[in-house]
């Protein structure tokens, strides 16, 4: 449901601020197809106060009431969304392609692709684990309150209290969905239960005044000029004790009782209709029809190729590679020179150095990019309360009104998971010219429906970020051979993902088999490997999108180079890839083919 919501909300600013369709078009088929897109998105956006807070546009016109509410996560709300999408698809089918402009035809093709996934979504909507060690209401709620709920005036602080009081209802809706999955015998693996119980027990075991929900309000409300925050802080303490902690306790009690019903089988193969659900997940995340076997074999081939390149560099640096990849890469990783001190000061230096890396490449991209984001990107540490089970890094887009920059969150829980030779590649992936360039550029594009600025095509989005790592190397930003090993390790990591994701969910690998394979073939820190494998278990198929997307972009670049010869221009190619927002890979190929034909002519 979250993916479908994110597709929907992007159009809100144009509709509310621009009034882009007539009142009667709220019910009838709009004459202009873009008005149809606007209307359907608005219908969904108005149902999500949390996304309205994330977009942060209504506040600019004095509307803040949505900031006192939380999303409806009930099964009924999911039913209503599916019904809305089916009705919208029927209207979209009424628009004849020949009556549309070229740009409108592209929008319709992308929308058709999205709507085609609704049937899979409906059939397999309960094939997931909505409360797990990575995401869910139990950690998403405090993260949302800390990073998204703005506190600039007294009303914002009061709305914060309202959202604390509303958490009980939200968690009851989450429990409703969990029990429906239990009735369908869709149960998480046992380790997921153990992880979330540990997380939630630690959360409620904190004194209310020490909880992030309180300290966040305390800090932000103190910055409101002339505001006495004593009453609101007292209210927050009471709400955390009376509303928040009891809501968490219900989830704790549920998972405690559920644990004995779970097993240590980890793949989707164990679930009713699990094979079909995994096929649907691969289609969704790769935007291809590649089978699990095909993806698995691509992964094995790429692992062998990349390991050979790394060994060649290590040999050139004087390492003994005769014992094989695992031994050689472990020897390199054991060198203390590659790590920061395991202290608060060391972690602060990591964040500062990440920012230096981003500032450097932002100034040095030269003629490779003509499209650039209007907003910058800042580096932040993943909040301590969730970093133990969080991924190594993630990116959060800027606010659409420019009030918040893009944010690259780095996980510093295990200092050994951040070797210096890996930092450039990670910064290029999450920041510049990776996710920040692609996402922020898409958000600022004009002249197209805003749903295309937020399209969740993971193979494109993650494929671009992985491609960006290679572009940075090609442009000379990783001249140190160990930085290049860091880049190749990152690509190897994504190739290994093809093997382990399909291994877990299609070939019945155990969690430990997948962990052992990834450790042996990447040289990653064990703590990172465990987090990653557990991520693939609760997010089937998603990990395959990175390498599949990167390989397609590189294939299309080579196709354009071969066809155009001296006429090929890297900046123009990047424009083609970036200027239409995220798209399925087959549509991206059509766009590149049109670029080739236009330049040949």
């Amino acid at each position: 449901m979250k993916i479908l919501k994110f597709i929907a909300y992007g159009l809100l600013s144009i509709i509310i601020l621009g009034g882009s369709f007539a009142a009667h078009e709220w019910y009838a088929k709009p004459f202009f197809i873009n008005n149809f897109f606007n209307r359907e998105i608005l219908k969904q956006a108005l149902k999500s106060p949390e996304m309205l807070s994330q977009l942060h546009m209504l506040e600019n016109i004095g509307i803040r009431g949505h900031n006192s509410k939380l999303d409806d996560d009930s099964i009924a709300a999911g039913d209503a969304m599916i019904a809305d999408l089916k009705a919208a698809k029927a209207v979209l089918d009424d628009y004849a392609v020949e009556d549309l402009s070229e740009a409108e035809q592209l929008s319709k093709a992308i929308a058709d692709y999205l709507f085609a996934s609704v049937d899979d979504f409906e059939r397999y909507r309960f094939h997931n684990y909505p409360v797990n060690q990575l995401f869910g209401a139990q950690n998403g709620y405090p993260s949302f309150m800390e990073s998204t709920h703005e506190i600039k005036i007294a009303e914002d602080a009061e709305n914060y209290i309202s959202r604390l009081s509303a958490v009980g209802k939200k968690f009851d809706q989450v429990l409703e969905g969990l029990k429906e999955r239990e009735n369908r015998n869709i149960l998480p693996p046992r380790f997921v239960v153990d992880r979330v119980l540990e997380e939630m027990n630690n959360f409620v075991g904190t004194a209310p005044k020490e909880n992030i929900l309180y300290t966040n309000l305390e800090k932000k409300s103190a910055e409101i000029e002339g505001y006495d925050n004593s009453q609101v802080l007292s209210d927050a303490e009471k709400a955390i004790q009376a509303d928040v902690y009891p809501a968490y306790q219900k989830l704790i009690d549920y998972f405690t009782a559920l644990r004995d019903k779970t097993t240590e089988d980890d793949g989707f193969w164990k679930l009713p209709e699990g094979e079909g659900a995994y096929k649907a997940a691969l289609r969704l995340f790769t935007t291809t029809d590649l089978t699990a076997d095909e993806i698995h074999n691509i992964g094995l081939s790429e692992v062998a190729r990349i390991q050979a390149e790394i060994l060649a560099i290590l040999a050139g640096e004087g390492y003994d590679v005769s014992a094989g990849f695992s031994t050689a890469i472990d020897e390199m990783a054991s060198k203390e020179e590659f790590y920061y001190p395991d202290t608060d000061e060391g972690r602060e230096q990591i964040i500062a150095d990440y920012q230096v890396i981003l500032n450097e490449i932002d100034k040095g991209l030269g003629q490779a990019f003509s499209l650039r984001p209007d907003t910058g990107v800042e580096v932040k540490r993943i909040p301590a309360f969730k970093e133990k089970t969080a991924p190594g890094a993630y990116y959060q887009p800027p606010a659409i009104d420019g009030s918040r920059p893009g944010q690259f969150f780095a996980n510093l829980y295990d200092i050994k998971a951040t070797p210096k030779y890996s930092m450039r590649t990670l910064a290029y992936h999450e920041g510049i010219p990776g996710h920040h360039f692609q996402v922020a550029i898409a958000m600022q594009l004009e002249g197209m429906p805003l749903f295309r600025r937020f399209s969740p095509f993971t193979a494109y989005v993650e494929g671009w970020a992985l491609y960006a790592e290679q572009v940075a190397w090609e442009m000379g930003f990783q001249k140190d051979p160990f930085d290049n090993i860091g880049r190749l390790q990152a690509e190897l990591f994504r190739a290994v993902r093809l093997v382990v994701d399909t291994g877990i969910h299609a070939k019945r690998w155990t969690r430990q088999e997948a962990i052992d394979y990834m450790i042996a073939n990447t040289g990653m820190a064990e703590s990172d490997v465990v987090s990653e494998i557990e991520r693939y278990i609760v997010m089937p198929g998603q990990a395959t999108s990175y390498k599949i997307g990167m390989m397609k972009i590189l294939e299309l670049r080579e196709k354009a180079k071969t066809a155009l010869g001296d006429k090929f221009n890297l900046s123009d190619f990047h424009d083609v890839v970036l200027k239409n927002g995220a798209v399925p890979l087959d549509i991206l190929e059509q766009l590149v083919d049109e670029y080739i034909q236009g330049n040949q002519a």
Side-chain angles (χ1 to χ4, degrees):
M1 189 186 304
K2 294 295 184 185
I3 290 177
L4 292 175
K5 283 183 178 180
F6 194 66
I7 296 168
Y9 304 141
L11 284 167
L12 189 60
S13 61
I14 284 181
I15 301 163
I16 290 181
L17 302 182
S20 62
F21 58 85
H24 71 276
E25 291 184 330
W26 186 260
Y27 302 102
K29 172 188 170 184
F31 182 79
F32 296 107
I33 193 171
N34 282 350
N35 285 359
F36 159 75
F37 292 133
N38 292 357
R39 180 188 72 184
E40 296 307 314
I41 300 310
L42 178 57
K43 286 180 179 179
Q44 297 302 324
L46 293 177
K47 296 178 181 180
S48 175
E50 293 176 29
M51 184 55 70
L52 293 178
S53 295
Q54 176 73 37
L55 292 174
H56 193 264
M57 294 181 306
L58 297 182
E59 291 82 357
N60 294 337
I61 55 175
I63 299 175
R64 309 180 95 86
H66 55 281
N67 292 325
S68 66
K69 303 172 184 176
L70 298 172
D71 283 359
D72 184 347
D73 284 338
S74 66
I75 292 175
D79 293 340
M81 174 173 280
I82 291 171
D84 287 345
L85 291 170
K86 286 183 175 180
K89 183 181 185 302
V91 175
L92 181 63
D93 289 342
D94 280 344
Y95 288 95
V97 173
E98 58 270 19
D99 295 335
L100 304 177
S101 68
E102 186 175 332
E104 290 171 338
Q105 288 177 20
L106 179 58
S107 295
K108 184 178 187 300
I110 295 170
D112 282 335
Y113 194 99
L114 289 168
F115 279 124
S117 67
V118 172
D119 288 342
D120 276 346
F121 171 73
E122 181 177 22
R123 181 172 182 177
Y124 302 116
R125 62 183 288 200
F126 295 110
H127 278 73
N128 55 28
Y129 312 126
V131 174
N132 60 67
Q133 78 282 3
L134 289 182
F135 55 84
Q138 85 288 355
N139 54 30
Y141 171 72
S143 294
F144 168 81
M145 296 296 283
E146 189 272 337
S147 65
T148 302
H149 185 104
E150 182 183 68
I151 301 176
K152 298 292 186 183
I153 62 175
E155 184 182 351
D156 297 331
E158 292 159 6
N159 285 336
Y160 191 95
I161 303 301
S162 296
R163 277 179 160 163
L164 293 179
S165 301
V167 74
K169 180 179 180 181
K170 183 181 183 72
F171 277 34
D172 283 346
Q173 293 166 346
V174 172
L175 269 171
E176 176 193 24
L178 292 171
K179 291 174 181 177
E180 177 63 27
R181 287 166 177 81
E182 183 182 356
N183 291 337
R184 295 168 179 257
N185 201 29
I186 298 175
L187 303 179
R190 183 164 294 162
F191 82 84
V192 174
V193 174
D194 291 338
R195 294 283 190 275
V196 298
L197 281 174
E198 179 184 7
E199 179 186 36
M200 291 190 294
N201 278 312
N202 289 339
F203 189 81
V204 301
T206 304
K209 283 189 174 183
E210 297 173 6
N211 189 286
I212 188 174
L213 293 171
Y214 183 94
T215 58
N216 173 60
L217 176 64
E218 183 178 37
K219 176 184 175 182
K220 292 180 179 178
S221 62
E223 297 171 356
I224 302 174
E225 187 175 352
Y227 179 61
D228 180 359
N229 66 357
S230 57
Q231 183 60 53
V232 78
L233 290 177
S234 175
D235 292 343
E237 182 183 8
K238 293 175 183 176
I240 291 169
Q241 191 68 58
D243 299 309
V244 176
Y245 283 176
Y248 274 82
Q249 192 60 50
K250 283 186 180 181
L251 281 180
I252 290 170
D253 293 343
Y254 174 78
F255 277 104
T256 300
L258 185 71
R259 188 181 188 279
D260 287 342
K261 298 180 182 180
T262 63
T263 71
E264 294 182 359
D265 292 331
D266 299 301
F268 254 36
W269 56 265
K270 72 171 184 172
L271 302 179
E273 296 189 80
E275 182 179 352
Y278 186 53
K279 287 180 179 178
L282 292 178
R283 280 195 301 271
L284 172 68
F285 287 116
T286 69
T287 63
T288 73
D289 290 320
L290 290 169
T291 66
D293 281 343
E294 289 171 331
I295 292 171
H296 192 84
N297 290 332
I298 290 170
L300 291 172
S301 176
E302 285 294 285
V303 167
R305 176 187 68 80
I306 298 166
Q307 286 181 348
E309 289 190 35
I310 292 174
L311 288 174
I313 297 173
L314 285 173
E317 294 300 312
Y319 283 76
D320 180 3
V321 299
S322 60
F325 177 81
S326 181
T327 301
I329 205 74
D330 285 348
E331 181 186 351
M332 182 193 74
S334 68
K335 305 289 187 182
E336 287 299 321
E337 66 196 77
F338 291 129
Y339 300 96
Y340 289 79
D342 192 1
T343 62
D344 290 341
E345 292 76 16
R347 287 172 169 81
E348 289 174 5
Q349 190 61 51
I350 290 174
I351 297 298
D353 288 351
Y354 269 133
Q355 194 68 57
V356 169
I357 290 169
L358 289 172
N359 294 343
E360 174 195 59
I361 194 170
D362 191 34
K363 295 176 182 178
L365 286 175
Q367 302 302 310
F369 292 87
S370 59
L371 284 175
R372 303 290 291 267
D374 293 335
T375 55
V377 60
E378 65 180 6
V379 187
K380 300 182 72 173
R381 182 178 177 178
I382 290 175
F385 81 91
K386 67 175 183 177
E387 67 179 354
K388 185 176 180 179
T389 56
Y394 57 85
Y395 171 77
Q396 180 170 298
I400 201 167
D401 66 352
S403 62
R404 183 186 65 250
Q407 295 175 326
F408 156 29
F409 285 87
N411 192 331
L412 305 184
Y413 176 74
D414 180 0
I415 205 75
K416 293 293 186 181
T418 308
K420 295 176 182 179
Y421 55 78
S422 73
M423 290 175 62
R424 284 184 172 273
T425 295
L426 186 59
Y428 303 149
H429 180 100
E430 300 293 347
I432 299 171
H435 283 320
H436 179 62
F437 259 42
Q438 185 269 308
V439 173
I441 286 172
M443 289 174 67
Q444 72 193 37
L445 292 174
E446 298 179 356
M448 68 170 64
L450 273 179
F451 86 91
R452 286 176 52 190
R453 306 185 195 182
F454 296 89
S455 297
F457 296 110
T458 314
Y460 171 98
V461 172
E462 296 296 352
W464 169 265
L466 187 51
Y467 167 79
E469 299 174 14
Q470 179 163 324
V471 169
W473 170 69
E474 291 169 343
M475 296 183 67
F477 287 100
Q478 291 153 314
K479 294 177 182 178
D480 186 296
F482 291 103
D483 284 339
N484 191 27
I485 288 177
R487 175 188 71 85
L488 288 167
Q489 269 195 291
E491 186 180 359
L492 176 63
F493 168 39
R494 277 46 175 249
V496 166
R497 282 175 160 181
L498 301 181
V499 179
V500 295
D501 194 289
T502 52
I504 292 166
H505 294 292
K507 296 182 178 296
R508 303 194 175 200
W509 286 17
T510 65
R511 171 180 170 275
Q512 192 58 51
E513 284 177 313
I515 289 171
D516 291 344
Y517 179 87
M518 181 168 262
I519 289 175
N521 286 283
T522 62
M524 292 170 58
E526 183 175 1
S527 62
D528 266 7
V529 169
V530 171
S531 292
E532 287 296 326
I533 293 300
E534 293 180 351
R535 167 187 172 183
Y536 312 152
I537 290 170
V538 300
M539 299 178 67
Q542 193 270 352
T544 67
S545 58
Y546 299 66
K547 195 72 170 69
I548 297 300
M550 177 207 194
M551 292 175 71
K552 188 64 176 181
I553 294 172
L554 287 170
E555 172 196 319
L556 295 176
R557 190 178 73 173
E558 189 59 33
K559 181 180 184 179
K561 281 184 175 181
T562 301
L564 297 177
D566 292 342
K567 292 183 178 180
F568 177 81
N569 180 279
L570 184 60
S571 178
D572 290 344
F573 175 78
H574 289 158
D575 283 356
V576 172
V577 177
L578 292 172
K579 70 181 182 181
N580 290 291
V583 296
L585 295 183
D586 58 349
I587 291 181
L588 180 61
E589 183 160 14
Q590 293 172 22
L591 294 170
V592 172
D593 286 344
E594 292 170 4
Y595 154 70
I596 292 171
Q597 293 166 9
N599 279 272
Q600 284 176 330

